[in-house]
Amino acid sequence: MASIELRHVTKRYGHAVTAVRDVSLEIRDGEFMILLGPSGCGKSTALRMIAGLESITEGEIYVGGRLVNDVAPRDRDIAVVFQNYALYPHMTVAENLAFGLKMHGRSTAEIGPQVQRVAAMLGIEGFLARKPGALSGGQRQRVALGRALVREPVAFLLDEPLSNLDARLRADMRLELVKLHRQLGTTIIHVTHDQVEAMTMGQRICIMKDGQMIQAGAPLDVYRNPVNTFVAGFLASPPMNLLEMTLSAGPSGAPVMASGGLRLTVPDAYAQSVKPWVGKTVILGIRSEDLHEKQENAGWQPIEGDVVALEALGAEVILVLAPRGIPGKEISARLGRNFRAAIASNQRLFVDGNEIRLFDPGTTNAIARRA
């Protein structure tokens, strides 16, 4: 096992394209780290630099405290699992699993038991004589993981390994990977654009955009306290509702926010920090689960609008609402599975003000709030 550290790492292609820009990140020994972001954000390039498959333009990468900038990929003792599995089609599953060990000079007496142990761990011992073409997508994924596991590397790098699987298999494999990490305790860096994978699998997540690291932390901490509107809108489905509101001093002196027919009192946690924005615009952020059908708390404030759509998902209903007096804007609410409403009907919801977040529209950064 080993820690992995990136210090001011940059990757440029020629003079025009900067794929990764000044990224510094420490992955602790035995940690399950998620690199999350949209396509083209630089997360896979960062992973490939750690593996040694891409050169580094600037900065340093350390594995287990050793500088590896100039160390060949095979000498870094890191295993990579790719999105397309990269299995050898002419080899059996057993031969695919054994290939890396053979390349590292392991004896046949050592390889056989190791292959059997990993195959049993992944539940693929019944497929050892088959070739990849005779396997399902989920089985191929397990073989690709097994080929990495059999080497017992100091770290695993997973580049969107679940993206080719259907929804049910993805859910199953998410659980299997988490269980595997608990069993092995080996450092794992997992690249994905899937927010569900990030929230359910990682001990920490690092969100990237345009080659830069935007925010890193425990999944729930990042979810509850996004550093800017990009993180707020990216990390969740439905994304955080974002509305531009004009801030002013209310009759009692407490700041209030208003837009169209929507008027909300600013919670006490922001009473001091929003003073520079009085008379100006702020961005209000509300998570869909913080909008409620009933006013269960006297401090919850109303939001009214017209029903645009209902998405019944079985365990819950996603209500899409057009807030009254705010043309062109829609917000989403995550409600109970028994919620029903007619399209275009008026609906009143209630927001838990303690859970709202405010952002500066100029910088898009979060406005500080008292804990």
Side-chain angles (χ1 to χ4, degrees), residues 24 53 61 84 105 124 153 222 268 370:
S24 294
L53 303 176
I61 293 180
N84 63 358
I124 55 174
V222 176
D268 291 342
R370 190 180 69 246

Side-chain angles (χ1 to χ4, degrees), residues 1 26 28 84 131 209 238-239 251 293-294 317 320 332 350:
M1 295 188 293
E26 183 176 357
R28 295 184 285 268
N84 63 358
K131 291 184 178 179
K209 179 189 178 188
E293 181 184 359
K294 298 178 180 178
V317 171
V320 181
S332 297
F350 296 90

